[in-house]
Amino acid sequence: MKPCHDGTGERLAEMRTVGVVGLGKMGRPIAGHLLEMGHRVVGVDLDPQAGADLEAAGMQRGAGPDDLVGTDVCLVLVEGRAVARIVLDGGAYRPALKDCLTLVCSTVEPDLMRTLHAAADVAGARLLDAPLCRGDHGARQGDLLALVGGSGTALRECEGVLQAFCSDVVHVGGPGAGQAAKLVNNMLLWSNIASVVEALQLGEALGVRRAAMVEALLPSSARSWVLETWQRPRDLPWAHEDMRMVLEASTEAGLSLPLTGLVHELIKGTRARGVLRDGGFQADGWLMPAYEDEA
């Protein structure tokens, strides 16, 4: 893992007991990596079958977030709207999390993240926002990027845990900064997706096979992560939610982002045409109609 970008290089002792809330496409492989690295893992999910295979590998099953008492680090990997229900209890910081270091790895609004940080401060608890980039493929490979907001000291405490599933960790600033950075990442990602889809559709309409077009673009000035991973199976269902958060944040900041608004509409149109069938990308790539010799 590349060093955390907080300027100190100091590492503290690695934590050994890790709670993972949410054992879905991100949480399940992350919990697996933690077990492989020798950590004790307590897994929590509403679905009692989620991550069931990890119990044979030593994962302890918790019925809910209140079963995380005694953990050193807790990773919250649930859908964004559920994050507050995990971290807060009756509007106050959840007592079961007070003595552990909690990392919100889900993507949530920066304002909500700052509210959670404020609740943690009142309770004397430790909290970091640490949303993850590179999706479920990165989770399976263990090469995620964490964008961390909050205390640099707290980040150094959990470096050993992050090493289990991240190849890159960047400390981007104070409370909420990690979520702000993730919104910027998502804004650029979906803008790139929209432009690449339209560009390849143009190439095909003009008679250039998609595979040949991608091969030609990769060494060009148009190269991008979207092109580099064109054939990678993926599941990215959150386009509309991502863009909604970006637009709301820009409104709160008093910024006009006309291109982002257009991308939001383009993404909705792309979904309607089936390119994002069922809200995600399937094993046949980005689901644009293939030429006969590429089928």
Side-chain angles (χ1 to χ4, degrees):
M1 184 175 73
K2 294 179 181 178
C4 294
H5 296 184
D6 59 8
T8 68
E10 181 183 356
R11 294 188 180 191
L12 301 182
E14 183 178 297
M15 298 294 112
R16 301 297 297 177
T17 304
V18 185
V20 178
V21 185
L23 296 169
K25 291 186 176 180
M26 297 289 288
R28 188 263 166 226
I30 285 173
H33 291 307
L34 289 164
L35 288 166
E36 290 173 4
M37 291 289 287
H39 296 285
R40 176 175 173 261
V41 176
V42 180
V44 174
D45 197 284
L46 289 175
D47 180 358
Q49 297 304 311
D53 57 314
L54 296 178
E55 293 183 63
M59 185 186 77
Q60 178 183 336
R61 175 75 62 172
D66 288 336
D67 289 339
L68 296 171
V69 173
T71 57
D72 300 306
V73 176
C74 176
L75 308 176
V76 179
L77 290 147
V78 297
E79 187 271 329
R81 287 169 292 187
V83 169
R85 296 197 298 271
I86 301 298
V87 178
L88 303 179
D89 183 11
Y93 202 79
R94 185 174 295 276
L97 302 179
K98 182 178 177 180
D99 295 326
C100 72
L101 172 56
T102 299
L103 279 68
V104 175
C105 299
S106 309
T107 301
V108 301
E109 293 89 344
D111 279 352
L112 172 59
M113 194 68 239
R114 286 188 283 269
T115 297
L116 299 179
H117 275 281
D121 289 344
V122 170
R126 294 167 298 151
L127 180 71
L128 292 172
D129 42 310
L132 303 170
C133 301
R134 302 174 186 158
D136 58 307
H137 181 274
R140 292 191 300 272
Q141 297 298 314
D143 63 357
L144 291 165
L145 161 65
L147 302 172
V148 182
S151 164
T153 299
L155 174 56
R156 291 193 294 278
E157 289 184 34
C158 63
E159 249 194 320
V161 168
L162 289 170
Q163 282 180 327
F165 55 90
C166 289
S167 60
D168 300 274
V169 177
V170 182
H171 186 203
V172 293
Q179 297 295 346
K182 182 63 187 297
L183 286 191
V184 172
N185 174 86
N186 292 347
M187 172 183 174
L188 293 171
L189 169 65
W190 290 110
S191 298
N192 191 211
I193 289 172
S195 62
V196 168
V197 167
E198 287 199 354
L200 294 187
Q201 287 174 334
L202 174 61
E204 290 189 327
L206 297 177
V208 182
R209 292 183 303 108
R210 187 191 322 159
M213 192 75 256
V214 171
E215 181 181 359
L217 292 173
L218 283 176
S220 79
S221 56
R223 181 174 182 168
S224 70
W225 180 87
V226 174
L227 283 170
E228 291 171 352
T229 62
W230 185 261
Q231 292 299 332
R232 178 187 297 174
R234 71 196 67 222
D235 185 13
L236 296 172
W238 308 115
H240 178 69
E241 183 69 5
D242 287 345
M243 297 306 293
R244 178 193 65 78
M245 286 193 283
V246 168
L247 290 169
E248 287 184 358
S250 68
T251 298
E252 292 168 3
L255 291 177
S256 175
L257 302 177
L259 179 58
T260 301
L262 177 58
V263 169
H264 189 203
E265 296 303 314
L266 290 173
I267 288 294
K268 288 193 290 186
T270 302
R271 290 173 67 98
R273 292 195 303 274
V275 180
L276 307 181
R277 187 175 60 201
D278 298 327
F281 301 111
Q282 307 301 316
D284 47 349
W286 299 71
L287 298 179
M288 288 172 56
Y291 270 70
E292 290 183 4
D293 62 346
E294 292 182 318

